[in-house]
Amino acid sequence: MATGQKLMRAIRVFEFGGPDVLKFQSDVAVPITKDHQVLIKVHACGVNPVDTYIRSGTYSRKPPLPYTPGSDVAGVIEAVGENVSAFKKGDRVFTAGTISGGYAEFAVAADDTVYTLPEKLDFKQGAALGVPYFTAYRALLHSARGKAGESVLVHGASGGVGLAACQIARAYGLKVLGTAGTEEGKNIVLRNGAHEVFNHREVNYIDKIKKSVGEKGIDIIIEMLANVNLSNDLNLLSYGGRVIIVGSRGPIEINPRDTMAKETSIIGVALYSSTKEEFRQFAAALQAGMEVGWLKPVIGSQYPLEKAAQAHENIIHSSGATGKMILLVS
């Protein structure tokens, strides 16, 4: 990928480990586009929890070292490779799948994973679209097969995926319940599609949810922290209800009997198991949401590129996420 001439600032990882393995460098070669690829001048890059799992070496996908982390970027097309007709230099775009890594001034992506960024969204919002919105859409409408009139609990609703799930669920006609850990988080969740919100730091919040939904229970739970919540989730479900696991940070003991009487399901979701056709479908639905106006990413903490290690520390250890964490690149 190196040209020996054009250089850029980027984060490089030479060994798997803690946040301190993220090395800021200002002499990294700008990647070169191949067939059906575009070069994006990155304005902002989303930070996702999965970035930290990959960096630590504990994730199922391990990139060859050294590598630049990050998948979700928004910016402007700088150059296009051979056989690219959908984009030209200067187009505003976003992607959920860089090839060369997003924590950098320039990133290469396959042209079929790049989408036009509407004028009404800025680059920060563009960087918040990729993994959160595509994951939320896959979880809610593909994996859970959510339908208008059903109820959904977004368990951990104030982060990037959670707020995306609330906006999508509300737009598609579901009854939306959310949880957050702070007053600020609760307010943001209510402003972004939830009909009702609960504080998951309160000891009796599960009882409050049960009281709110009554005997029937909840049709769908989008679960961000399954290693803490899965056992409770199973007791909240309706007949035929399903828990969709978006995030988990360890093991948990559950009683399988809790799934039997109501014939409930536990379904895992991994965005990158999506086919190209599914990505196109998700993108079409999300583009419509941007045009109509219900899709509005909420930006949380922002860091300059050189503070990527601090961002990785905070996305895992700071409590009470509100909105999407991003790196500002240019």
Side-chain angles (χ1 to χ4, degrees):
M1 288 223 165
T3 61
Q5 62 237 42
K6 280 195 173 174
L7 299 177
M8 65 176 183
R9 298 179 305 133
I11 298 293
R12 300 291 280 164
V13 174
F14 295 90
E15 59 179 326
F16 297 112
D20 56 334
V21 302
L22 298 172
K23 303 298 182 194
F24 176 75
Q25 299 192 323
S26 51
D27 57 354
V28 179
V30 172
I32 295 174
T33 55
K34 296 182 183 157
D35 217 23
H36 291 291
Q37 293 179 351
V38 299
L39 180 68
I40 301 168
K41 182 172 178 28
V42 178
H43 284 249
C45 178
V47 179
N48 294 298
V50 71
D51 300 347
T52 71
Y53 310 151
I54 294 169
R55 181 215 71 225
S56 68
T58 58
Y59 194 62
S60 52
R61 277 189 305 136
K62 271 194 197 169
L65 296 166
Y67 79 98
T68 293
S71 58
D72 297 359
V73 305
V76 174
I77 299 281
E78 177 76 10
V80 296
E82 294 286 321
N83 299 312
V84 175
S85 56
F87 300 102
K88 62 184 185 308
K89 185 175 164 110
D91 287 351
R92 300 171 84 247
V93 293
F94 73 94
T95 180
T98 63
I99 293 166
S100 58
Y103 294 14
E105 285 182 288
F106 293 92
V108 161
D111 62 351
D112 61 358
T113 66
V114 174
Y115 311 98
T116 300
L117 181 65
E119 288 295 336
K120 60 172 75 167
L121 296 187
D122 63 28
F123 291 117
K124 292 188 263 192
Q125 291 174 306
L129 289 168
V131 166
Y133 278 86
F134 283 82
T135 299
Y137 190 95
R138 182 172 179 83
L140 187 68
L141 295 161
H142 178 274
S143 305
R145 295 184 169 82
K147 295 190 287 291
E150 287 193 308
S151 58
V152 58
L153 170 67
V154 182
H155 214 157
S158 64
V161 182
L163 291 170
C166 289
Q167 291 177 1
I168 294 166
R170 184 65 178 253
Y172 279 78
L174 285 86
K175 184 185 179 194
V176 187
L177 310 176
T179 77
T182 63
E183 277 308 305
E184 183 197 0
K186 282 173 68 179
N187 290 331
I188 287 175
V189 172
L190 278 175
R191 287 202 302 273
N192 284 280
H195 293 88
E196 245 185 301
V197 64
F198 303 87
N199 185 336
H200 52 226
R201 298 249 169 89
E202 288 179 7
V203 180
N204 62 338
Y205 85 98
I206 295 290
D207 295 329
K208 289 185 176 177
I209 296 173
K210 280 183 178 167
K211 191 175 175 187
S212 170
V213 298
E215 284 295 296
K216 182 180 182 301
I218 297 165
D219 299 310
I220 300 165
I221 298 177
I222 307 291
E223 181 52 66
M224 309 300 166
L225 198 60
N227 55 299
V228 172
N229 299 323
L230 186 56
S231 186
N232 280 331
D233 289 343
L234 295 177
N235 290 305
L236 287 169
L237 289 174
S238 63
Y239 185 86
R242 45 268 186 226
V243 180
I244 311 298
I245 298 180
V246 170
S248 186
R249 295 181 183 172
I252 182 175
E253 187 174 305
I254 61 165
N255 184 348
R257 287 193 74 89
D258 291 342
T259 66
M260 291 163 64
K262 291 184 178 175
E263 297 195 328
T264 55
S265 316
I266 302 168
I267 302 168
V269 72
L271 177 58
Y272 291 103
S273 296
S274 310
T275 63
K276 279 189 177 180
E277 188 45 52
E278 286 165 352
F279 263 109
R280 273 196 289 272
Q281 178 200 330
F282 304 162
L286 296 173
Q287 292 274 18
M290 293 177 225
E291 286 160 21
V292 176
W294 58 255
L295 193 164
K296 282 201 188 104
V298 178
I299 304 307
S301 20
Q302 306 173 34
Y303 300 82
L305 184 60
E306 54 270 28
K307 293 278 198 293
Q310 189 62 54
H312 271 222
E313 184 70 36
N314 292 354
I315 199 168
I316 296 300
H317 296 297
S318 74
S319 49
T322 48
K324 172 73 188 154
M325 182 182 286
I326 58 163
L327 297 174
L328 297 169
V329 183
S330 36

Short mmCIF file of all heavy atoms in Angstrom, two decimals, residues 239 256-264:
data_model
loop_
_atom_site.label_atom_id
_atom_site.label_comp_id
_atom_site.label_asym_id
_atom_site.label_seq_id
_atom_site.Cartn_x
_atom_site.Cartn_y
_atom_site.Cartn_z
N TYR A 239 -44.63 -14.15 24.95
CA TYR A 239 -44.65 -15.44 24.28
C TYR A 239 -44.05 -15.26 22.87
O TYR A 239 -44.44 -14.36 22.13
CB TYR A 239 -46.09 -15.98 24.14
CG TYR A 239 -46.11 -17.36 23.55
CD1 TYR A 239 -45.96 -18.48 24.37
CD2 TYR A 239 -46.19 -17.55 22.17
CE1 TYR A 239 -45.91 -19.76 23.84
CE2 TYR A 239 -46.14 -18.82 21.63
CZ TYR A 239 -45.99 -19.91 22.46
OH TYR A 239 -45.93 -21.17 21.92
N PRO A 256 -31.85 -22.28 31.22
CA PRO A 256 -32.49 -22.53 29.92
C PRO A 256 -34.00 -22.74 30.03
O PRO A 256 -34.73 -22.49 29.07
CB PRO A 256 -31.78 -23.78 29.41
CG PRO A 256 -30.45 -23.77 30.08
CD PRO A 256 -30.71 -23.20 31.45
N ARG A 257 -34.48 -23.16 31.21
CA ARG A 257 -35.93 -23.34 31.39
C ARG A 257 -36.70 -22.04 31.15
O ARG A 257 -37.87 -22.05 30.77
CB ARG A 257 -36.25 -23.85 32.80
CG ARG A 257 -35.89 -25.28 33.05
CD ARG A 257 -36.52 -25.78 34.34
NE ARG A 257 -37.96 -25.99 34.17
CZ ARG A 257 -38.49 -27.14 33.76
NH1 ARG A 257 -37.71 -28.16 33.45
NH2 ARG A 257 -39.79 -27.27 33.63
N ASP A 258 -35.99 -20.91 31.40
CA ASP A 258 -36.65 -19.60 31.22
C ASP A 258 -37.06 -19.36 29.77
O ASP A 258 -37.85 -18.46 29.49
CB ASP A 258 -35.73 -18.47 31.70
CG ASP A 258 -35.53 -18.48 33.22
OD1 ASP A 258 -36.35 -19.12 33.91
OD2 ASP A 258 -34.57 -17.86 33.68
N THR A 259 -36.51 -20.13 28.83
CA THR A 259 -36.89 -19.96 27.42
C THR A 259 -38.05 -20.88 27.02
O THR A 259 -38.63 -20.70 25.95
CB THR A 259 -35.71 -20.29 26.48
OG1 THR A 259 -35.41 -21.70 26.60
CG2 THR A 259 -34.48 -19.47 26.81
N MET A 260 -38.36 -21.86 27.87
CA MET A 260 -39.23 -22.95 27.42
C MET A 260 -40.72 -22.61 27.44
O MET A 260 -41.42 -22.75 26.43
CB MET A 260 -38.95 -24.21 28.24
CG MET A 260 -37.57 -24.79 27.94
SD MET A 260 -36.97 -25.96 29.19
CE MET A 260 -38.17 -27.28 29.03
N ALA A 261 -41.22 -22.15 28.58
CA ALA A 261 -42.67 -21.94 28.72
C ALA A 261 -43.20 -20.96 27.68
O ALA A 261 -44.28 -21.15 27.11
CB ALA A 261 -43.00 -21.44 30.12
N LYS A 262 -42.41 -19.91 27.38
CA LYS A 262 -42.87 -18.90 26.42
C LYS A 262 -42.24 -19.09 25.04
O LYS A 262 -42.42 -18.25 24.15
CB LYS A 262 -42.55 -17.50 26.94
CG LYS A 262 -43.39 -17.11 28.16
CD LYS A 262 -43.08 -15.68 28.57
CE LYS A 262 -43.93 -15.24 29.75
NZ LYS A 262 -43.55 -13.89 30.22
N GLU A 263 -41.48 -20.18 24.86
CA GLU A 263 -40.84 -20.48 23.57
C GLU A 263 -40.10 -19.26 23.01
O GLU A 263 -40.32 -18.82 21.88
CB GLU A 263 -41.87 -21.01 22.56
CG GLU A 263 -42.48 -22.32 23.01
CD GLU A 263 -43.22 -23.06 21.90
OE1 GLU A 263 -43.79 -22.40 21.01
OE2 GLU A 263 -43.20 -24.31 21.92
N THR A 264 -39.22 -18.73 23.85
CA THR A 264 -38.48 -17.53 23.46
C THR A 264 -37.14 -17.90 22.83
O THR A 264 -36.69 -19.04 22.93
CB THR A 264 -38.24 -16.62 24.68
OG1 THR A 264 -37.60 -17.40 25.71
CG2 THR A 264 -39.55 -16.07 25.21
#
